[in-house]
């Protein structure tokens, strides 16, 4: 039965990813072996390699699991944002930030980022870049929705604004994961201070 086989395959993969999250968080990415993940997931080492070529693949898959969840929540925000550019942008951004450490530690994020930068042309690098692209597109979609409601000036390009906002929130997130001692509250406060004047500029008509 193809349906049953696919279901069993998906369950095994989920166990592998859950094991990876647990072991990477507990022991650190560098210390964990594929054998450790296989044992915790209750599968053979060969089964792990049937799904992933190496440990980096598994780490990027945990990033994808994280991002897919925030994209799903973010879709509702982008489609039906609260009133006001500042409030809407911060709600979407905080959805990304507040979920960011559910599965991954800061060390795991740093490693995933390094893999994507060091090897941009590999499947891992391309997958990470695609996840970033989808997040950036969601910010653009939110801005387009606000613009359609008349809350952002009509002459502005949502794609340009979306990329600007995403680049900023992404850079602030990089600073956050680089600093083990920085609390999430500090990250939120920093971005709030930046988004507030930006939202006013794009929502209000400039001088004649």
């Amino acid at each position: 039965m193809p349906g049953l086989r696919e279901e069993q395959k998906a369950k095994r993969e989920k166990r592998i990813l859950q094991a990876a999250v647990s072991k990477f968080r507990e022991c650190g990415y560098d210390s964990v072996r594929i054998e450790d993940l296989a044992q915790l997931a209750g599968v053979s080492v060969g089964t792990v390699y049937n799904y992933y070529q190496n440990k980096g693949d598994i780490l990027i898959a945990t990033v994808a699991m994280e991002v897919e969840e925030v994209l799903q929540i973010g879709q509702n925000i982008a489609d039906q944002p609260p009133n006001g550019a500042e409030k809407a942008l911060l709600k979407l951004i905080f959805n990304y930030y507040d979920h960011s450490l559910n599965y991954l530690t800061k060390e795991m994020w740093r490693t995933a980022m390094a893999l994507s930068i060091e090897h941009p042309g590999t499947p891992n690098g391309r997958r990470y870049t695609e996840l970033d692209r989808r997040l950036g597109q969601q910010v653009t979609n939110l801005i387009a929705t606000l613009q359609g409601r008349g809350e952002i000036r009509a002459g502005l390009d949502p794609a340009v604004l979306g990329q600007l906002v995403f680049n900023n929130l992404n850079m602030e997130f990089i600073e956050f994961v680089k600093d083990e001692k920085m609390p999430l509250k500090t990250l939120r406060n920093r971005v709030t201070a930046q988004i507030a004047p930006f939202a006013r500029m794009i929502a209000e008509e400039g001088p004649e």
Side-chain angles (χ1 to χ4, degrees), residues 103-202:
Y103 299 130
L104 284 76
T105 62
K106 289 187 177 185
E107 184 253 1
M108 291 164 68
W109 274 111
R110 291 194 299 270
T111 304
M113 290 173 183
L115 286 172
S116 70
I117 293 169
E118 290 174 3
H119 308 287
T122 63
N124 282 340
R126 290 195 296 270
R127 187 175 191 188
Y128 193 97
T129 299
E130 174 61 14
L131 292 170
D132 265 359
R133 186 200 65 77
R134 291 173 64 193
L135 289 167
Q137 183 60 52
Q138 191 167 78
V139 177
T140 294
N141 293 345
L142 169 64
I143 292 172
T145 299
L146 292 170
Q147 193 175 57
R149 293 197 322 208
E151 298 181 41
I152 288 178
R153 288 187 289 168
L156 301 177
D157 185 342
V160 173
L161 296 179
Q163 195 60 58
L164 183 64
V165 171
F166 178 73
N167 287 346
N168 181 73
L169 74 87
N170 196 35
M171 181 55 66
E172 288 296 336
F173 183 69
I174 291 172
E175 293 301 314
F176 171 67
V177 299
K178 283 167 56 180
D179 185 349
E180 283 289 345
K181 295 182 179 179
M182 184 189 295
L184 185 60
K185 182 179 179 180
T186 298
L187 173 63
R188 289 170 58 112
N189 289 342
R190 286 171 58 153
V191 173
T192 298
Q194 296 160 2
I195 288 294
F198 173 78
R200 288 194 295 271
M201 285 190 293
I202 66 176

Side-chain angles (χ1 to χ4, degrees), residues 19-82:
V21 168
S22 178
K23 295 299 287 186
F24 290 161
R25 293 180 72 96
E26 177 187 358
C27 305
Y29 173 82
D30 289 337
S31 299
V32 176
R33 304 171 305 161
I34 295 292
E35 290 82 358
D36 301 325
L37 302 181
Q39 182 178 21
L40 185 59
V43 299
S44 68
V45 172
T47 296
V48 176
Y49 282 114
N50 284 340
Y51 291 88
Y52 304 103
Q53 293 183 8
N54 50 53
K55 195 166 63 169
D57 281 351
I58 300 173
L59 178 60
I60 297 299
T62 64
V63 172
M65 182 169 61
E66 181 85 65
V67 173
E68 290 293 348
E69 290 189 9
V70 299
L71 281 169
Q72 184 174 1
I73 299 170
Q75 188 62 49
N76 294 327
I77 300 171
D79 289 344
Q80 297 180 315

